[in-house]
């Protein structure tokens, strides 16, 4: 889903995320929130990778991956901890996790083309310890459970743009997250559509804020703020 373009990381990958700019319930429904859109995106990116070897873009930029891995390192997350990348897209973040030494890494996406693309990229990197699954996170299989760490870089943003009852889909996302994440497990989310306060409200049931991660600031018209929110929640 999201990270298709998201985790897509070309050699200097540009920052990108779906529908950045809207906030809260003021979202304008968009094709960016539909499976059809991302299926088409990943079919194109798969073809581009097969023809030119280009892995695509990295949503939120390469620094977003570094930020998350540094947090995991800072908090001494064991390298054998089970990690789930929700909406893995082209799987570039999975590659970075594996190269860092994490040995129990899983990426899911509801787009079969995204999983095929990430599989091709992972194979090219010579990595064999990464698991990939076609999964709709809003209706996950019973086997998807028991994770120590869940990571989202843009998938919740994309769901928020779904033209078909996005509010209910956001609630289902939180339910799914609660089901797949272990008690005391960590959820790392990066968003450009939601502020810190809004995310605290969205994930208020069953999760508590553990840490806010620093993100680039902007200044405009005498005011300053963050265009991206990056939070770590812990399941209670």
């Amino acid at each position: 889903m999201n990270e298709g373009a998201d985790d897509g990381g070309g050699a200097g990958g540009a920052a990108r995320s779906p529908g950045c700019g809207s906030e809260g319930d003021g979202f304008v429904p968009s094709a960016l929130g539909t499976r059809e859109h991302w299926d088409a995106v990943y079919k194109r990116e798969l073809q581009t990778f097969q023809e030119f070897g280009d892995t695509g873009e990295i949503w939120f930029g390469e620094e977003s991956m570094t930020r998350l891995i540094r947090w995991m390192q800072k908090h001494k997350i064991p390298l054998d901890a089970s990690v789930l990348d929700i909406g893995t897209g082209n799987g570039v973040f999975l590659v970075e996790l594996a190269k860092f030494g994490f040995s129990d890494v899983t990426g899911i996406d509801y787009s079969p083309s995204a999983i095929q693309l990430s599989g091709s990229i992972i194979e090219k990197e010579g990595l064999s310890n990464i698991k990939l699954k076609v999964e709709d996170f809003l209706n996950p299989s019973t086997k998807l459970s028991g994770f120590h760490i869940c990571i989202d870089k843009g998938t919740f943003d994309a769901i928020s743009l779904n033209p078909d009852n996005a509010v209910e889909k956001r609630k289902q996302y939180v339910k799914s997250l609660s089901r797949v994440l272990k008690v005391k497990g960590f959820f790392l989310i990066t968003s450009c559509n939601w502020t810190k306060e809004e995310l605290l409200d969205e994930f208020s049931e069953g999760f508590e804020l553990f840490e806010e991660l620093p993100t680039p600031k902007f200044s405009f018209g005498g005011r300053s703020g963050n265009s991206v929110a990056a939070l770590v929640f812990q399941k209670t």
Side-chain angles (χ1 to χ4, degrees):
M1 171 192 290
N2 110 35
E3 302 194 282
D6 170 332
D7 273 352
R16 182 166 70 137
S17 182
C20 286
S22 302
E23 289 185 355
D25 286 318
F27 289 118
V28 176
S30 167
L32 290 167
T34 66
R35 182 181 308 210
E36 291 77 14
H37 171 81
W38 294 112
D39 275 336
V41 166
Y42 290 119
K43 285 179 182 176
R44 289 196 303 269
E45 292 201 358
L46 177 61
Q47 183 176 1
T48 299
F49 176 76
Q50 291 171 338
E51 293 180 0
F52 306 107
D54 182 4
T55 57
E57 300 181 59
I58 303 174
W59 287 0
F60 302 110
E62 292 182 0
E63 71 277 3
S64 67
M65 298 191 296
T66 303
R67 181 190 307 129
L68 299 178
I69 291 175
R70 280 178 178 168
W71 181 89
M72 296 167 77
Q73 184 180 27
K74 171 186 172 183
H75 291 276
K76 296 180 170 56
I77 302 299
L79 292 178
D80 61 352
S82 53
V83 181
L84 176 66
D85 188 20
I86 303 168
T88 197
N90 59 15
V92 168
F93 187 48
L94 299 175
V95 170
E96 293 304 309
L97 287 169
K99 286 182 176 179
F100 189 80
F102 286 97
S103 60
D104 189 359
V105 178
T106 300
I108 62 169
D109 205 292
Y110 65 11
S111 169
S113 294
I115 294 300
Q116 187 177 352
L117 172 62
S118 54
S120 298
I121 292 171
I122 289 167
E123 182 180 5
K124 182 181 178 181
E125 293 287 343
L127 300 169
S128 59
N129 60 338
I130 297 175
K131 296 179 282 291
L132 294 170
K133 300 178 182 179
V134 177
E135 288 266 5
D136 180 354
F137 192 65
L138 301 185
N139 187 29
S141 66
T142 56
K143 294 180 180 180
L144 200 71
S145 63
F147 289 93
H148 296 96
I149 305 282
C150 288
I151 295 169
D152 180 319
K153 295 199 302 97
T155 295
F156 189 71
D157 283 355
I159 288 172
S160 303
L161 298 171
N162 193 295
D164 183 21
N165 200 352
V167 173
E168 185 58 37
K169 284 179 167 56
R170 293 189 334 241
K171 292 179 180 178
Q172 184 56 50
Y173 180 103
V174 177
K175 290 179 182 177
S176 296
L177 179 64
S178 182
R179 208 188 85 190
V180 305
L181 188 62
K182 285 179 175 288
V183 174
K184 299 300 182 182
F186 294 105
F187 171 54
L188 287 65
I189 181 169
T190 304
S191 169
C192 66
N193 279 337
W194 297 90
T195 64
K196 171 187 174 181
E197 291 72 22
E198 289 167 340
L199 288 172
L200 288 174
D201 184 57
E202 289 290 314
F203 294 92
S204 60
E205 293 188 20
F207 300 89
E208 61 183 11
L209 180 64
F210 184 83
E211 188 174 346
E212 179 179 9
L213 303 182
T215 58
K217 292 184 179 295
F218 69 90
S219 296
F220 181 77
R223 300 178 62 188
S224 62
N226 297 78
S227 57
V228 172
L231 304 180
V232 179
F233 288 92
Q234 188 170 31
K235 182 179 173 180
T236 57

